[in-house]
Amino acid sequence: GVSDAVRAAQFFGAIVGVLMEDEIPQGLQLIANGLAHELILNGQKRVHYRVISSSFLRLIVGYLFLSSLFINVAQNSDVISIFYDVLALEFVENIDDTAYAL
């Protein structure tokens, strides 16, 4: 077993990670926008396939983030390592958002 402080840090780390995760809502919103609108690139060809495929990749990244978050939080037995792991996962996800915006 772990101490109550570690158990509370695990709980709050999971809650903070889930609340800060934005890949899944953004992916779902992009899929809805891609299906509802006529998306044309340079006035010549449709880009529905590109938008929807990149949105599915965002969904996959979001679910991988959540699964790695829960695995890391559940396996740690130290409060500071839980904090650092959640912080590192958020940093990596923000790098992904920056790369996606480019």
Side-chain angles (χ1 to χ4, degrees):
V2 294
S3 68
D4 290 336
V6 172
R7 193 170 310 271
Q10 288 173 335
F11 177 75
F12 287 121
I15 294 295
V16 167
V18 168
L19 290 176
M20 293 183 71
E21 199 282 322
D22 61 347
E23 295 287 333
I24 295 172
Q26 284 180 354
L28 292 174
Q29 183 180 12
L30 287 172
I31 289 172
N33 289 341
L35 292 176
H37 299 292
E38 188 74 22
L39 300 174
I40 297 177
L41 179 63
N42 293 333
Q44 296 176 356
K45 63 180 186 176
R46 295 181 178 175
V47 292
H48 287 292
Y49 177 73
R50 293 182 195 172
V51 170
I52 299 211
S53 62
S54 67
S55 299
F56 277 121
L57 291 176
R58 270 188 164 239
L59 288 174
I60 291 170
V61 167
Y63 288 124
L64 288 174
F65 169 79
L66 287 178
S67 60
S68 64
L69 172 78
F70 287 126
I71 289 170
N72 282 328
V73 166
Q75 287 182 347
N76 283 328
S77 60
D78 186 21
V79 174
I80 195 74
S81 60
I82 292 171
F83 172 74
Y84 283 144
D85 284 343
V86 171
L87 186 65
L89 285 170
E90 290 297 328
F91 177 74
V92 170
E93 187 181 20
N94 286 335
I95 288 175
D96 176 57
D97 288 340
T98 304
Y100 183 79
L102 296 176

